[in-house]
Amino acid sequence: MSFSQLGLSAELLRAVSEQGYERPTPVQKQAIPVVLNGKDLLAGAQTGTGKTAGFTLPLLQLLNETPTAPGARRVVRALILTPTRELAAQVHDSVKEYGKYLPLRSTVVFGGVGINPQIERLRRGVDILVATPGRLLDLVGQRTLDLKQVEILVLDEADRMLDMGFIHDVRKIIALLPKQRQNLLFSATFSEEIRGLSGQILHAPVEIEVARRNAAAETVSQLVYPVEKERKRALLSYLVGNGRWKQVLVFVRTKHGADRLGRQLEQDGIDSAVLHGDKSQGARTKALEGFKNGKVAVLVATDIAARGLDIDQLPHVVNFELPNVPEDYVHRIGRTGRAGANGEALSLVCQDEVKLLAAIERLLKKEIPRAQAPGFEPEFSLNTRNPNPPRLSTRGAQRPNESSPRRKPQSATSRGRGNAASGAKQGEPGRRR
Ligand code: AMP
């Protein structure tokens, strides 16, 4: 699915494509049509899912469809409330960025800075106001702000707003708005309190929920191994064997790919099982049991098949192929390292996947560190930002009974392993193509 299929106008599509977004994220896919339809929305989505564009794009479109007459005074038609000033500033940046080809005006107000410049900007007239609740009420108190024409209200990160004690402020603000309006509520969690609030504010809302980004996404140690496509399997066998991994969930993109990889790993002497949509319930149960009780070291799965698994806190997750949707990456790595447990998420990335990696890094707002295993160095570099990724010498430990000119002799952790790694067909050391 593309952004144009969502019914967005040419001006918005242009701004989106300038951001480098190729496809809408799951929350965007679901939220944009609902908002364009004029419906109220209750969305379970947290930062990193692309939620901001999910409400900003359709909001801009709706306002632009019924523009203020030229020369007429602009009044606030869309109000976006956020719990913190950082978020307010960030959301306003998105409003400006996505709306840059539309004749709409916006501003942002929050506490902790002088109020006078904000009053001045409001006096000049804006269509869209991004605000934190406290400062907004201060401005209302000074009679510099009229909220009687608000058509769309967005509560962003509503759960945080409640946690921070803004509930009374939010209620006061809502009392100042016209009854007839469209309401969008975004929250990472759906607590009783949030349910209560949405019951009072939203009218027959459409509910959407994109699977929560796990806190682990921030704490899991993530690494990218740039590697030639045809050497991924050998590298995987090497990593599993060399690290003595006992439980690793490996993600692949297709059922066929899952079957093939499972077979190849078995040939490499690694006990594996495969899970995908075409497997019978019996095969599925057996695979899972084997994996849970330690008989099977590697479970190869597609995204869909892995979704319903009730296993998490895995020590290792490997992306044998990157997912097409960046958010799926976050789901995948959320399987490891929960609640402070040590977890590693490794991605084997070939040159064809550099765009997918770039999209993931944009979503995470950070570059994932690169690592290399000796003998598997590729001829290309993954230029998502930095053309020469650093070699991480502490990773990709030495292969048994082998030394590399770049590295000290074997580390203690990799010495004398008579396990699958040594039996694996690993490709020749230092081979170059
Ligand atoms: P948010 O969850 O709204 O804070 O967005 C998280 C990050 O994802 C931001 O840096 C956005 O620029 C980025 N982003 C939003 N939508 C997309 C998309 N469709 N494709 C790639 N990146 C996106």
Side-chain angles (χ1 to χ4, degrees):
M1 151 140 349
S2 66
F3 278 101
S4 55
Q5 285 169 293
L6 290 172
L8 294 171
S9 67
E11 294 91 341
L12 292 169
L13 292 175
R14 184 166 164 211
V16 161
S17 101
E18 280 177 18
Q19 288 295 298
Y21 303 167
E22 289 174 0
R23 285 174 221 89
T25 65
V27 68
Q28 292 162 3
K29 260 188 254 176
Q30 295 178 65
I32 291 172
V34 172
V35 182
L36 287 179
N37 257 325
K39 299 244 168 55
D40 278 13
L41 176 71
L42 176 59
Q46 56 191 153
T47 303
T49 55
K51 67 180 167 67
T52 315
F55 63 78
T56 306
L57 290 168
L59 177 151
L60 287 163
Q61 174 141 333
L62 287 178
L63 295 184
N64 194 52
E65 279 169 4
T66 54
T68 306
R73 195 182 128 66
R74 286 169 193 265
V75 287
V76 177
R77 299 174 59 201
L79 174 63
I80 304 172
L81 291 180
T82 74
T84 65
R85 46 169 140 163
E86 290 75 21
L87 186 61
Q90 218 173 294
V91 168
H92 185 236
D93 285 345
S94 299
V95 169
K96 281 192 297 190
E97 197 56 53
Y98 303 141
K100 68 202 233 198
Y101 298 114
L102 296 176
L104 294 166
R105 266 199 252 155
S106 62
T107 193
V108 58
V109 298
F110 46 71
V113 294
I115 200 166
N116 289 334
Q118 297 178 352
I119 293 175
E120 195 42 48
R121 288 202 303 273
L122 287 170
R123 286 222 166 102
R124 275 184 248 140
V126 296
D127 304 281
I128 302 157
L129 176 60
V130 186
T132 52
R135 178 54 61 95
L136 186 75
L137 284 174
D138 289 345
L139 287 159
V140 170
Q142 300 217 5
R143 299 181 190 283
T144 48
L145 191 57
D146 176 8
L147 297 175
K148 295 243 165 23
Q149 312 289 321
V150 169
E151 296 162 34
I152 306 173
L153 169 71
V154 182
L155 295 181
D156 193 13
E157 305 205 352
D159 49 347
R160 258 173 98 196
M161 213 119 62
L162 297 190
D163 288 347
M164 291 170 73
F166 285 136
I167 184 69
H168 297 300
D169 287 353
V170 170
R171 283 192 207 288
K172 276 189 215 160
I173 292 165
I174 287 169
L176 301 168
L177 307 180
K179 290 227 158 30
Q180 266 293 6
R181 52 167 208 271
Q182 187 177 4
N183 301 288
L184 318 176
L185 188 151
F186 285 77
S187 181
T189 55
F190 282 156
S191 61
E192 281 297 303
E193 236 186 331
I194 288 290
R195 290 259 169 219
L197 183 69
S198 48
Q200 290 160 8
I201 297 177
L202 307 179
H203 303 286
V206 175
E207 283 192 33
I208 64 173
E209 186 159 12
V210 297
R212 296 221 289 122
R213 187 166 90 146
N214 204 287
E218 274 94 27
T219 56
V220 169
S221 98
Q222 301 171 57
L223 287 173
V224 161
Y225 279 80
V227 60
E228 308 288 354
K229 192 183 212 157
E230 57 276 22
R231 307 206 65 213
K232 281 189 176 185
R233 189 263 304 163
L235 175 58
L236 176 62
S237 292
Y238 167 63
L239 292 169
V240 171
N242 196 61
R244 282 184 156 163
W245 293 353
K246 296 281 180 269
Q247 223 187 18
V248 49
L249 182 58
V250 176
F251 283 98
V252 293
R253 249 186 269 166
T254 64
K255 297 170 191 171
H256 182 65
D259 283 328
R260 191 177 48 218
L261 182 61
R263 277 196 307 272
Q264 289 170 334
L265 290 172
E266 286 286 339
Q267 283 165 18
D268 285 350
I270 295 170
D271 290 325
S272 330
V274 175
L275 213 60
H276 58 60
D278 288 352
K279 295 272 173 191
S280 68
Q281 190 54 44
R284 195 182 156 88
T285 311
K286 189 163 164 256
L288 266 179
E289 264 170 25
F291 189 56
K292 284 187 184 169
N293 67 24
K295 283 203 185 106
V296 166
V298 177
L299 186 61
V300 182
T302 57
D303 285 288
I304 309 260
R307 204 150 283 169
L309 294 183
D310 73 355
I311 35 164
D312 49 26
Q313 302 195 336
L314 290 166
H316 305 283
V317 166
V318 171
N319 296 303
F320 190 77
E321 288 147 342
L322 290 180
N324 285 327
V325 180
E327 214 212 10
D328 281 348
Y329 174 87
V330 179
H331 288 285
R332 289 177 176 189
I333 71 164
R335 293 281 183 178
T336 178
R338 291 193 179 187
N342 286 334
E344 248 192 348
L346 309 182
S347 301
L348 314 188
V349 181
C350 64
Q351 205 163 9
D352 299 349
E353 294 171 299
V354 66
K355 278 194 170 169
L356 297 176
L357 181 63
I360 289 165
E361 292 185 337
R362 259 201 313 276
L363 194 66
L364 298 175
K365 295 191 179 131
K366 66 171 193 178
E367 194 173 77
I368 306 169
R370 310 298 197 253
Q372 286 182 348
F376 292 93
E377 299 87 340
E379 290 214 319
F380 60 89
S381 64
L382 285 173
N383 304 339
T384 50
R385 228 190 292 161
N386 173 3
N388 297 306
R391 280 173 194 280
L392 299 187
S393 56
T394 53
R395 295 283 173 179
Q398 206 66 34
R399 207 173 298 174
N401 308 320
E402 223 175 58
S403 64
S404 145
R406 275 188 310 281
R407 296 167 53 89
K408 291 198 210 106
Q410 294 174 10
S411 68
T413 52
S414 65
R415 203 173 296 138
R417 294 260 163 78
N419 61 12
S422 43
K425 302 176 193 82
Q426 292 158 1
E428 303 76 19
R431 190 170 105 185
R432 290 279 197 280
R433 261 171 272 197

